[in-house]
Amino acid sequence: MAIIERIQAEISGHPIVLFMKGTPQFPMCGFSSRTVGALREAGADMATLHSVNVLEDPEVRANLPRVSNWPTFPQLFINGELIGGCDITMELFESGELARMVAETQQA
């Protein structure tokens, strides 16, 4: 499977996907750590949160920005749509919107 197809399958195959440096249990950068914390506080089921460690998959790390048109990591996708990186995720968390979005995916 070509890398672009693999990335698209990850995005479409899970309600919430976080492409990050490290894992939710062991984030490898502050931005990834803050994003995981916001998702946790927003009520995301951490046992079922799908994450992709871009440090372990250089092909994904190199090609995801071409798919998403977003240059940095982490990248959060909800229901197949790019939400954004750490700053946008934190803004959505602080406004309460992230909790609503997460709740909707878990009810579906």
Side-chain angles (χ1 to χ4, degrees):
M1 180 181 290
I3 186 63
I4 301 300
E5 292 169 340
R6 213 172 93 216
I7 290 169
Q8 290 170 333
E10 294 279 5
I11 293 167
S12 64
H14 306 277
I16 301 175
V17 182
L18 181 61
F19 292 89
M20 62 181 290
K21 294 179 179 175
T23 66
Q25 299 76 20
F26 193 66
M28 299 294 286
C29 82
F31 297 115
S32 291
S33 180
R34 289 180 61 208
T35 302
V36 167
L39 284 165
R40 183 177 288 119
E41 291 295 315
D45 181 354
M46 298 312 287
T48 60
L49 171 71
H50 186 73
S51 66
V52 177
N53 182 352
V54 299
L55 297 177
E56 290 183 350
D57 198 333
E59 275 192 291
V60 170
R61 186 177 185 180
N63 287 282
L64 180 62
R66 290 178 36 215
V67 173
S68 64
N69 291 320
W70 194 266
T72 60
F73 297 95
Q75 292 187 24
L76 175 64
F77 289 80
I78 297 181
N79 292 326
E81 179 182 338
L82 175 66
I83 301 305
C86 181
D87 291 346
I88 291 172
T89 302
M90 294 309 296
E91 287 174 19
L92 290 170
F93 170 70
E94 290 165 8
S95 73
E97 186 69 10
L98 185 62
R100 182 194 63 76
M101 295 166 83
V102 165
E104 285 177 2
T105 67
Q106 294 180 162
Q107 291 170 357

